[in-house]
Amino acid sequence: MKYSCKTRSETLEWITAIIDFLKPFSFLINSHVVNFFKDKQWEAVDQEWMSCLKIEKPENILLIPSGAVQDHWPASLKEFVHTLRSLSFPREQADLEALLAGVDMAPLSTVLSQGMNLKKKHEVEVLSAVVSSVVNSVGAPTVVDVGSGQGYLAQVLSFQYKHSVVAIDSSSHHGKVTDARAARIRKHFAAQMRKSGSGNKCPDVPMTITCRVLSTEMLKALTHVPLEKDELDLNASALNEGPRISQSSSNANRSCPLVLAGLHACGDLSVTMLRTFMECEEVKAVVSIGCCYNLLSEKNNENSCSKCGFPMSAGLKSLGFSLGKNARDLACQSAERWSSLGEDAGLQNFELHSFRAAFQMVLSKHYPEVLATSPSIGRQGKAFRRQQQRKSLETSATVDTIRKDTDGIKPMRQTSSKSDNLFSFEKFCLSAFSRLNLEHPHDLDLNATWNEADAFTEMIGPYWSIRAALGPVLETLILLDRLMFLQEQGDSIKVVMLPIFDPAISPRNIAIIVKRL
């Protein structure tokens, strides 16, 4: 079935279908793979699925979150994957120039893109064109880049699209970096204009504000303070006292229409932007791409706050559905990222999950009081992955020769020997003990622990992939909730939800674009 979200009733139907589908799989959603061996999590999954997938090629298992199936898989597994695909919001980049009036995509100059990686350049190039078209369509003179980071988006909107821009971020360091970078760019533009003899005015640099946006009131205050550089050196305290300052200004009775833009505004920040739009007439439009759903506040038994990040809509609130921390973590999973991994990288990913889950068994036996605190041992995975990649490169010629000689033979289930894996697991544990400031137990037997876990390591890849496949649907639910919140406000606004980035470059690619009519 193909779902739509053009109207509130269609969005509610889609949300209801997602919730009905997810309920039987709550054991997967609420699990944490670190407990895979300790809780024998594979036993809760359909045994026909696990028997099939434990002998499947790693690259095919990694494609499950993307909706790919193999003909020989059980019918129920194929139905599971296909249903997840149909319930997920489409990720293929939309034809923005056809769908949004006035979008004129222009490549960034070398000066403006300096310091950006490929992902950031793509995001800023696309989003700046979208935001500029929205600004022009609603006639607002000022853009507020909410959660501006180092100011990349703000600077492109200012220098390339000639908009008045305020960049707001919680980090004072980011503000200083933004100012310094903008000054260099302005110097370059001024020199170019002098050289060409152009009489045009050089664009102003974006105004920067260091402030942690904790409420809609803080963003609404921006509409009541003068935003011109020569009128006020605006800072965090001025933002909080905005209404009082504006009354002493010559422009006391003038409010400033704004457009709010957020490139991966983290957690509740995206929600706050949408609520500000609904509560403040001067905010004429919002362009929001969310991220970090794990940091969303959620209404539950312990937290009944009406301003929580999830759920927002009355429709979803009426259904009484909650996510929980593990589900919000899972919503951050990227199907595109995992589908791009090759066989070796896929196996290394599964090995790392095995090491962490086996270490959980060690903590359970020797440090149960630490385990009860849900300890984090940091991102050891990257270091181990780099080690494995170096080892893989050193033996790549040998591997290529073996593959040519054994073409058509089922691949081995491991990239490393059992002794190599034991050695890697021991290193993983020693590092983890160090990070947790724990002494090594005298009766520690990592060999025995790994032998116990190793018998089931072939199950962790399938389990992880089946669980990860739920991620895009959970993200869809969160985004549809935000969309329906806006649709519930009546016909005085227009809202669309579009995938604006190439998902292979930027997986969090869905924008909510809302403006007043």
Side-chain angles (χ1 to χ4, degrees):
M1 178 176 177
K2 189 172 182 179
Y3 293 91
S4 175
C5 55
K6 292 180 180 178
T7 66
R8 178 187 175 280
S9 60
E10 288 178 343
T11 305
L12 182 59
E13 181 184 5
W14 194 341
I15 285 174
T16 303
I18 289 175
I19 291 173
D20 289 344
F21 179 81
L22 291 178
K23 282 179 179 176
F25 298 101
S26 60
F27 71 94
L28 267 175
I29 295 170
N30 296 321
S31 68
H32 201 307
V33 181
V34 297
N35 297 315
F36 182 76
F37 299 123
K38 183 175 73 71
D39 296 344
K40 299 183 178 179
Q41 291 175 339
W42 63 90
E43 293 182 350
V45 182
D46 187 306
Q47 293 306 297
E48 188 181 15
W49 295 8
M50 298 301 285
S51 296
C52 170
L53 293 177
K54 72 179 184 180
I55 58 173
E56 186 58 76
K57 294 178 180 179
E59 57 265 41
N60 289 341
I61 295 175
L62 287 164
L63 289 174
I64 291 175
S66 299
V69 299
Q70 305 301 313
D71 291 340
H72 61 273
W73 290 0
S76 59
L77 175 56
K78 289 190 284 188
E79 182 183 2
F80 170 80
V81 176
H82 285 147
T83 303
L84 285 173
R85 189 69 168 174
S86 71
L87 289 170
S88 299
F89 195 83
R91 300 306 173 106
E92 184 178 348
Q93 186 178 16
D95 184 350
L96 298 176
E97 292 179 339
L99 292 172
L100 299 176
V103 171
D104 184 16
M105 211 77 65
L108 301 184
S109 68
T110 304
V111 174
L112 283 174
S113 63
Q114 187 175 13
M116 299 184 194
N117 58 24
L118 174 66
K119 177 176 178 289
K120 184 62 69 176
K121 182 180 178 182
H122 171 70
E123 292 168 347
V124 171
E125 195 170 273
V126 173
L127 184 58
S128 60
V130 171
V131 172
S132 183
S133 73
V134 170
V135 171
N136 292 334
S137 70
V138 299
T142 303
V143 184
V144 180
D145 181 5
V146 183
S148 57
Q150 297 188 42
Y152 293 134
L153 175 64
Q155 288 153 11
V156 172
L157 286 169
S158 179
F159 290 108
Q160 181 161 309
Y161 290 97
K162 310 298 190 293
H163 296 300
S164 172
V165 185
V166 177
I168 184 168
D169 195 86
S170 63
S171 168
S172 59
H173 171 70
H174 282 165
K176 291 173 184 175
V177 170
T178 298
D179 285 341
R181 188 174 187 273
R184 289 196 302 270
I185 295 171
R186 191 177 193 280
K187 186 177 180 181
H188 169 83
F189 272 75
Q192 290 292 99
M193 288 180 177
R194 285 195 302 271
K195 188 176 180 181
S196 65
S198 170
N200 294 334
K201 179 178 178 288
C202 186
D204 290 328
V205 300
M207 179 184 292
T208 57
I209 300 174
T210 298
C211 174
R212 186 177 294 277
V213 178
L214 299 175
S215 67
T216 59
E217 283 69 27
M218 299 177 85
L219 288 179
K220 284 191 282 186
L222 282 169
T223 67
H224 298 290
V225 296
L227 295 175
E228 296 298 324
K229 279 274 190 181
D230 56 358
E231 293 184 57
L232 179 67
D233 182 16
L234 192 63
N235 56 29
S237 62
L239 179 59
N240 288 320
E241 300 170 5
R244 290 199 295 272
I245 291 174
S246 66
Q247 288 165 10
S248 64
S249 165
S250 60
N251 295 302
N253 297 320
R254 186 192 72 185
S255 61
C256 178
L258 305 174
V259 170
L260 303 182
L263 173 54
H264 295 147
C266 197
D268 284 351
L269 190 53
S270 292
V271 172
T272 300
M273 291 168 64
L274 298 178
R275 286 204 171 102
T276 303
F277 172 79
M278 292 314 310
E279 295 175 12
C280 184
E281 278 288 329
E282 285 74 22
V283 177
K284 302 302 181 183
V286 174
V287 183
S288 169
I289 299 101
C291 76
C292 302
Y293 307 119
N294 53 309
L295 300 179
L296 276 175
S297 59
E298 183 173 4
K299 184 175 182 179
N300 52 37
N301 294 332
E302 294 78 33
N303 185 1
S304 59
C305 171
S306 62
K307 297 293 187 182
C308 284
F310 182 88
M312 289 187 74
S313 66
L316 187 46
K317 287 176 182 176
S318 70
L319 297 176
F321 183 80
S322 62
L323 287 173
K325 184 181 183 304
N326 284 354
R328 297 195 305 272
D329 285 344
L330 189 53
C332 299
Q333 287 286 356
S334 163
E336 288 75 19
R337 184 173 296 138
W338 302 121
S339 66
S340 65
L341 290 180
E343 178 183 355
D344 291 341
L347 282 170
Q348 289 163 16
N349 178 61
F350 298 154
E351 277 182 359
L352 289 171
H353 282 293
S354 297
F355 294 157
R356 180 61 184 89
F359 180 69
Q360 196 81 340
M361 296 169 68
V362 175
L363 289 179
S364 178
K365 180 178 180 180
H366 298 283
Y367 290 102
E369 71 284 0
V370 174
L371 193 66
T373 66
S374 301
S376 171
I377 61 172
R379 304 186 70 178
Q380 294 194 81
K382 283 189 174 181
F384 272 84
R385 193 174 288 117
R386 284 195 294 268
Q387 292 172 12
Q388 295 282 48
Q389 286 170 346
R390 283 197 296 269
K391 185 167 65 176
S392 178
L393 286 171
E394 290 167 2
T395 59
S396 60
T398 306
V399 171
D400 286 342
T401 303
I402 293 172
R403 282 178 176 162
K404 287 175 184 176
D405 293 343
T406 59
D407 189 31
I409 299 176
K410 185 178 294 184
M412 293 178 64
R413 300 302 300 159
Q414 302 174 202
T415 57
S416 311
S417 68
K418 187 171 182 178
S419 60
D420 284 342
N421 279 336
L422 174 59
F423 177 69
S424 295
F425 174 59
E426 289 173 341
K427 286 182 64 180
F428 186 98
C429 290
L430 293 177
S431 175
F433 278 130
S434 175
R435 287 170 182 251
L436 294 174
N437 294 316
L438 298 175
E439 294 183 359
H440 303 173
H442 297 299
D443 57 343
L444 181 64
D445 188 349
L446 294 179
N447 189 12
T449 300
W450 182 249
N451 284 337
E452 183 182 348
D454 191 44
F456 303 100
T457 53
E458 63 186 4
M459 300 284 199
I460 203 164
Y463 183 89
W464 178 89
S465 296
I466 290 170
R467 184 174 182 272
L470 294 162
V473 178
L474 290 165
E475 182 184 19
T476 297
L477 177 63
I478 292 170
L479 295 175
L480 288 176
D481 172 52
R482 296 175 184 181
L483 178 67
M484 189 160 68
F485 166 78
L486 296 168
Q487 291 172 333
E488 290 170 347
Q489 309 306 319
D491 298 329
S492 62
I493 64 174
K494 180 182 179 181
V495 57
V496 294
M497 197 159 81
L498 293 171
I500 68 170
F501 303 140
D502 180 342
I505 300 175
S506 180
R508 298 274 85 76
N509 72 336
I510 298 174
I512 292 178
I513 304 169
V514 58
K515 52 188 177 181
R516 299 188 189 281
L517 296 177

